[in-house]
């Protein structure tokens, strides 16, 4: 790895800013685009919940970047030399080496996916009366902390929830709010401070190294541990390199190691960061490792596989090294930027600046006539599927919970997330998404709200079912036919 990697960009003669794939496609999967009437039937069948659509009915699957990324040829090659054994697998030794070289972390606990790490961390560090300050929550993280009796305090900056912003680091913590939370709860009741890289629910937004450094200094002063969720660290690394002063000539590896030097322990979902499955917990602190070690064989599997297949472990090691390759980690943010900038230019409410992970439409503004009690983000997700066969994910009030009196706790923002699985879509597919979103925006007055048919008590967004209020879906289909003729 070179000490200094210059930013590599390809300029077009036309002057256009066009993202360019720095890889070629060697394995493909056939896609299916249903006619609009069949898409309507499919969304009714799925209870207006895009999680319940079958993949055969989906054209572009932008539900998530989790477990849907394209592996490299080297990852697939590595899988064929996996060392199958319950204990002491050579594949695991390779992964430990990758964890040390990429993250500079000595101790590693493998788990079957990110939320399993959250389970073990929460079980170890959270009891009733404990608080976890964080830049923003993630659904499974918050659920695990609350199940153990803990409380989440979000201490994001005022910029974080603004749809339109040019602030480059919306994932930063508000230092003033952090100090207040520590004062209010007492340092001894802060289980740890959680920093989420590439903050998922506010639009895949990064934090800056400077902010992390400041938070780490405050934590040290009070004897509080810092935990980093590195599931989306690749894109956070990319943004520090291109947006933060002083980092343009620093290698990705050095940026990563500096970030990790400000944390006491970290965990990741391999479904994102390494384009595989699985996950893990990393630390350089032997006592932290020992506090959690014995839960792994109980909940996940023996310490040298933790619920992962050895093939996955081989691919994960290679995937982690690839997260330090600028060509690999810049692909997704550049494609996302292309879509976000184009929609923004057309006046469509979309989270800016573009982040990692995906393009986030602001459903609250997109269909401002639909009240939040009728779930605008869920309604927009269903409408976009009908209009295009594209499956996005509701990240609004349906993803929230009810209070003790049974009332919806309205989400801070109603977002429709269109995730970009890494190295999966081509530019013409992104242009198709752009076209259909623009059509939907021009016809947004046709979209109505949703109401529950079946509402599960926990993480209701996964399997809950809803129905449209009124006949707005029929009107949307009729307008589609009028404008697109016999087009799919
Ligand atoms: N942390 C972050 C920041 C995540 O985005 C996720 C998963 C997890 C933890 C949990 O990891 O899925 O491997 O158990 N995010 C997925 C998503 C589900 O679609 O954004 P997991």
């Amino acid at each position: 790895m070179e000490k200094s990697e210059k930013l590599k960009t390809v300029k077009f003669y036309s002057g256009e800013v066009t993202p360019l794939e720095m890889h070629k496609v060697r394995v493909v999967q056939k896609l299916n685009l249903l006619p609009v009437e069949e898409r309507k039937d499919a969304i009714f069948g799925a209870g207006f919940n895009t999680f319940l659509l079958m993949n055969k009915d989906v054209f572009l699957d932008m539900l998530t970047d989790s477990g849907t990324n394209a592996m490299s040829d080297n990852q697939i090659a590595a899988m064929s030399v996996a060392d199958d054994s319950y204990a002491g697998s050579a594949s695991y030794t390779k992964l430990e080496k990758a964890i040390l070289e990429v993250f500079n972390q000595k101790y590693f606990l493998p788990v079957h996916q990110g939320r399993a790490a959250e389970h073990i961390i929460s079980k170890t560090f959270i009891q009733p009366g404990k608080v976890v300050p964080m830049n923003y929550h993630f659904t499974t993280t918050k659920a695990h902390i609350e199940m153990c009796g803990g409380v989440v305090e979000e201490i994001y900056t005022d910029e974080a929830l603004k749809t339109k912003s040019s602030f480059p680091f919306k994932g930063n913590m508000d230092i003033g709010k952090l100090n207040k939370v520590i004062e209010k709860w007492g340092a001894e009741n802060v289980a740890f401070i959680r920093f989420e890289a590439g903050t998922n629910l506010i639009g895949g937004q990064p934090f800056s190294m400077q902010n992390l450094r400041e938070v780490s200094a405050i934590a040290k002063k009070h004897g509080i541990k810092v935990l980093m969720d590195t599931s989306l660290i690749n894109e956070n690394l990319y943004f520090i390199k291109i947006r933060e002063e002083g980092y343009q000539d620093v290698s990705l590896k050095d940026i990563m190691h500096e970030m990790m030097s400000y944390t006491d322990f970290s965990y990741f979902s391999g479904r994102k960061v390494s384009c595989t499955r699985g996950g893990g917990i990393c630390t350089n602190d032997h006592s932290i490792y020992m506090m959690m070690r014995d839960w792994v064989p109980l909940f996940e599997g023996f310490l040298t596989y933790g619920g992962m297949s050895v093939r996955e472990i081989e691919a994960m090691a290679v995937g982690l090294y690839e997260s330090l390759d600028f060509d690999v980690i810049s692909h997704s943010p550049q494609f996302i930027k292309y879509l976000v900038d184009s929609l923004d230019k057309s006046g469509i409410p979309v989270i800016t600046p573009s982040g990692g992970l995906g393009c986030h439409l602001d459903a609250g503004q997109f269909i401002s006539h639909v009240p939040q009690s009728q779930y605008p983000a869920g309604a927009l997700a269903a409408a976009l599927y009908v209009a295009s066969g594209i499956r996005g994910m509701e990240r609004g009030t349906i993803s929230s919970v009810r209070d003790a009196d049974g009332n919806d706790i309205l989400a801070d923002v109603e977002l429709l997330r269109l995730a970009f699985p890494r190295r999966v879509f081509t530019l013409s597919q992104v242009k198709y998404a752009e076209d259909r979103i623009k059509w939907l925006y021009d016809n947004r007055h046709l979209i109505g709200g949703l109401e529950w048919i079946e509402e599960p008590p926990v993480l209701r967004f996964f399997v809950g079912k809803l129905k449209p209020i009124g006949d707005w879906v029929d009107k949307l289909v009729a307008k589609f036919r009028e404008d697109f003729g016999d087009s799919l």
Side-chain angles (χ1 to χ4, degrees):
M1 164 70 53
E2 303 155 347
K3 182 82 192 117
S4 151
E5 300 152 350
K6 290 278 173 210
L7 286 182
K8 290 185 277 178
T9 49
V10 178
K11 294 204 170 79
F12 280 67
Y13 182 49
S14 65
E16 251 180 77
V17 181
T18 310
L20 184 63
E21 295 85 348
M22 298 303 283
H23 53 257
K24 60 182 176 178
V25 178
R26 294 171 63 208
V27 178
V28 295
Q29 180 180 355
K30 191 173 157 32
L31 286 173
N32 194 21
L33 178 53
L34 297 177
V36 66
E37 294 78 10
E38 290 179 36
R39 298 199 292 261
K40 182 189 113 179
D41 292 345
I43 199 72
F44 269 95
F48 280 72
N49 180 348
T50 54
F51 277 96
L52 300 181
L53 286 167
M54 300 312 283
N55 215 17
K56 68 176 175 50
D57 299 332
V58 171
F59 180 51
L60 301 183
D61 191 4
M62 304 182 100
L63 184 75
T64 179
D65 61 334
S66 171
T68 52
N69 302 296
M71 279 196 193
S72 69
D73 48 359
N74 287 324
Q75 285 184 283
I76 290 168
M79 289 172 90
S80 67
V81 294
D83 178 26
D84 247 319
S85 62
Y86 189 92
S89 158
S91 301
Y92 179 74
T93 310
K94 283 187 211 161
L95 178 56
E96 256 189 339
K97 188 162 172 274
I99 297 285
L100 182 63
E101 289 177 12
V102 175
F103 290 124
N104 199 25
Q105 300 289 289
K106 277 193 283 209
Y107 305 108
F108 179 61
L109 293 167
V111 294
H112 78 274
Q113 66 181 86
R115 68 199 68 181
E118 291 169 342
H119 171 218
I120 289 174
I121 291 168
S122 301
K123 208 169 165 50
T124 308
F125 290 94
I126 311 286
Q127 303 86 34
K130 294 277 184 198
V131 65
V132 181
M134 56 180 72
N135 48 350
Y136 207 75
H137 78 279
F138 183 69
T139 50
T140 54
T141 327
K142 188 172 177 180
H144 275 295
I145 291 171
E146 290 179 348
M147 256 171 53
C148 292
V151 171
V152 166
E153 287 256 23
E154 291 170 314
I155 45 174
Y156 47 82
T157 65
D158 293 342
E159 284 295 320
L161 302 184
K162 286 185 191 157
T163 311
K164 254 190 159 341
S165 167
S166 55
F167 191 63
F169 294 107
K170 286 163 94 177
N172 279 356
M173 280 192 199
D174 185 313
I175 302 291
K177 285 187 204 160
L178 175 62
N179 283 325
K180 278 198 194 119
V181 168
I182 297 174
E183 200 181 296
K184 182 172 111 191
W185 286 80
E188 67 284 5
N189 293 318
V190 179
F192 47 79
I193 297 171
R194 174 177 174 275
F195 232 128
E196 185 179 305
T199 326
N200 188 329
L201 296 190
I202 59 166
Q205 298 289 329
F207 58 72
S208 67
M209 188 74 89
Q210 189 192 332
N211 189 249
L212 172 63
R213 199 181 296 125
E214 287 172 20
V215 168
S216 157
I218 292 170
K220 257 206 187 82
K221 192 174 84 186
H222 291 283
I224 300 172
K225 298 196 186 319
V226 175
L227 168 71
M228 194 190 290
D229 178 345
T230 56
S231 305
L232 293 166
I233 194 122
N234 292 353
E235 291 75 24
N236 209 124
L237 267 182
Y238 167 82
F239 287 122
I240 287 178
K241 179 142 177 125
I242 67 158
R243 290 183 184 169
E244 189 160 357
E245 220 186 306
Y247 284 94
Q248 278 70 44
D249 292 332
V250 183
S251 75
L252 291 171
K253 188 173 183 173
D254 287 348
I255 298 176
M256 180 82 102
H257 288 192
E258 185 180 348
M259 285 166 105
M260 299 312 291
S261 74
Y262 301 130
T263 70
D264 296 281
F265 59 139
S266 62
Y267 72 97
F268 63 84
S269 166
R271 300 172 64 83
K272 291 174 185 269
V273 70
S274 53
C275 300
T276 55
R277 311 286 179 280
I281 304 171
C282 312
T283 184
N284 276 331
D285 184 329
H286 190 252
S287 63
I288 291 181
Y289 169 79
M290 289 305 290
M291 285 167 81
M292 289 183 280
R293 188 193 64 177
D294 296 340
W295 293 125
V296 173
L298 183 61
F299 292 115
E300 300 298 307
F302 189 63
L303 286 170
T304 55
Y305 75 93
M308 286 187 270
S309 79
V310 281
R311 290 161 61 80
E312 213 69 65
I313 289 174
E314 287 280 351
M316 179 180 274
V318 175
L320 289 177
Y321 286 116
E322 289 178 355
S323 69
L324 297 181
D325 179 334
F326 190 77
D327 284 340
V328 172
I329 65 168
S330 61
H331 174 255
S332 211
Q334 284 176 358
F335 270 61
I336 293 166
K337 182 172 167 34
Y338 172 86
L339 181 58
V340 166
D341 288 355
S342 161
L343 297 177
D344 188 38
K345 228 181 268 162
S346 304
I348 296 175
V350 64
I351 298 286
T352 60
S354 61
L357 178 58
C359 164
H360 295 70
L361 299 176
D362 182 342
Q365 285 184 49
F366 198 111
I367 41 173
S368 54
H369 57 280
V370 175
Q372 228 183 334
S373 57
Q374 295 179 14
Y375 311 116
L380 187 60
L384 181 64
Y385 171 73
V386 172
S388 64
I390 294 172
R391 156 154 80 168
M393 187 190 287
E394 192 271 359
R395 296 277 77 160
T397 299
I398 296 178
S399 299
S400 178
V401 289
R402 289 189 185 271
D403 64 18
D405 300 326
N407 300 314
D408 266 329
I409 299 179
L410 301 179
D412 295 327
V413 274
E414 290 288 331
L415 300 182
L416 169 57
R417 179 180 87 174
L418 302 173
F420 278 60
R422 294 160 188 83
R423 293 177 289 188
V424 168
F425 297 130
T426 60
L427 191 57
S428 54
Q429 290 169 332
V430 176
K431 285 187 173 198
Y432 170 80
E434 179 189 356
D435 181 79
R436 290 298 192 261
I437 295 166
K438 287 181 179 171
W439 177 81
L440 200 56
Y441 190 64
D442 285 346
N443 293 286
R444 62 191 179 279
H445 60 282
L446 294 175
I447 305 172
L450 300 177
E451 60 190 351
W452 288 102
I453 311 176
E454 272 177 53
E455 187 185 346
V458 182
L459 295 177
R460 62 185 184 176
F461 60 90
F462 278 130
V463 293
K465 289 193 170 174
L466 302 102
K467 66 178 168 71
I469 299 172
D471 62 351
W472 61 265
V473 184
D474 291 323
K475 289 187 179 130
L476 197 66
V477 171
K479 186 69 169 63
F480 182 96
R481 278 282 161 249
E482 191 185 316
D483 289 351
F484 291 106
D486 60 1
S487 168
L488 287 171

